[in-house]
Amino acid sequence: MARKGDKWLRERHEYQTSEDPYLTDEAPAGEAICPRCHAVFRDKRWLIDEEFYEEYKDTDFVPKIICPGCRKALDHYAMGYLYLSGPFYEKHREEIMRIIQNEVERARGVNPLHQIITMYEEDGRTVIETTTDHLAQRLGRAIYRAYKGNLTFRWSEGDKLVRIYWER
Ligand SMILES: [Zn+2]
């Protein structure tokens, strides 16, 4: 019994190393799959494993749990905002959206909790909201790497919310 308690504590502790409030919940006990984004919980972390997902999605062997990334997306809990604007952006919108899509796929390959929550137009610029500050930074840097322009990071005080502005 004590041993079981220790194990539970350790897993919970490992899961709380991130400051992300959505990761402070108890981790699933064993394996799980997210029916919304197809992420898989294995080896104590969420990851992308399409084979595993395909194998178990229509069975009762593995519980289906909405992953923390999807819960944030559903709750509209953004930790990153990316603002894109400028005449160059308007002209190359399609290419830039492709870079964003590729970068999201790459980020999800490392950690499926990175997701775009929503994308919309506001005050003549495109706004992209992300589930993690890390993803917004990554997208901003990828666009800057490809096209230069002006990239500005603004962190909100005291928490992990970041607003990133790219303009060209
Ligand atoms: Zn998910």
Side-chain angles (χ1 to χ4, degrees):
M1 196 62 199
R3 226 179 118 173
K4 205 176 168 194
D6 286 343
K7 185 164 181 274
W8 183 81
L9 275 176
R10 197 171 63 241
E11 283 175 15
R12 194 171 160 84
H13 178 72
E14 279 171 17
Y15 215 53
Q16 283 182 336
T17 50
S18 166
E19 288 166 47
D20 188 327
Y22 280 71
L23 295 182
T24 57
D25 296 352
E26 228 178 289
E31 292 166 333
I33 56 181
C34 175
R36 186 175 177 271
C37 75
H38 303 185
V40 168
F41 189 83
R42 286 178 62 188
D43 306 322
K44 296 179 193 162
R45 55 183 289 252
W46 288 95
L47 44 88
I48 298 292
D49 184 342
E50 278 298 335
E51 248 174 66
F52 186 94
Y53 178 80
E54 286 300 321
E55 197 176 337
Y56 292 106
K57 66 174 180 170
D58 298 321
T59 74
D60 294 329
F61 305 146
V62 177
K64 293 177 181 67
I65 293 174
I66 299 289
C67 75
C70 283
R71 276 194 290 125
K72 277 173 148 180
L74 292 167
D75 290 353
H76 212 113
Y77 186 92
M79 288 174 85
Y81 292 82
L82 178 64
Y83 301 86
L84 307 172
S85 63
F88 180 92
Y89 168 64
E90 294 302 336
K91 219 188 263 176
H92 296 85
R93 211 177 242 267
E94 268 182 44
E95 296 158 57
I96 292 169
M97 285 303 152
R98 262 199 302 278
I99 287 183
I100 287 175
Q101 259 354 96
N102 289 341
E103 202 59 31
V104 170
E105 287 309 310
R106 232 174 290 166
R108 282 182 60 76
V110 179
N111 183 346
L113 306 183
H114 299 307
Q115 291 189 31
I116 287 179
I117 298 172
T118 181
M119 218 185 269
Y120 51 92
E121 300 298 309
E122 190 183 78
D123 303 329
R125 54 192 183 181
T126 299
V127 186
I128 299 174
E129 298 184 8
T130 59
T131 52
T132 58
D133 55 311
H134 175 84
L135 180 59
Q137 292 178 64
R138 213 177 143 137
L139 297 178
R141 281 196 216 103
I143 297 167
Y144 182 78
R145 247 194 332 271
Y147 302 108
K148 295 294 175 264
N150 289 316
L151 184 66
T152 315
F153 287 46
R154 279 191 207 132
W155 296 87
S156 71
E157 279 171 64
D159 66 51
K160 291 185 52 142
L161 181 78
V162 68
R163 292 179 194 276
I164 296 167
Y165 302 82
W166 181 80
E167 189 268 321
R168 184 178 161 189

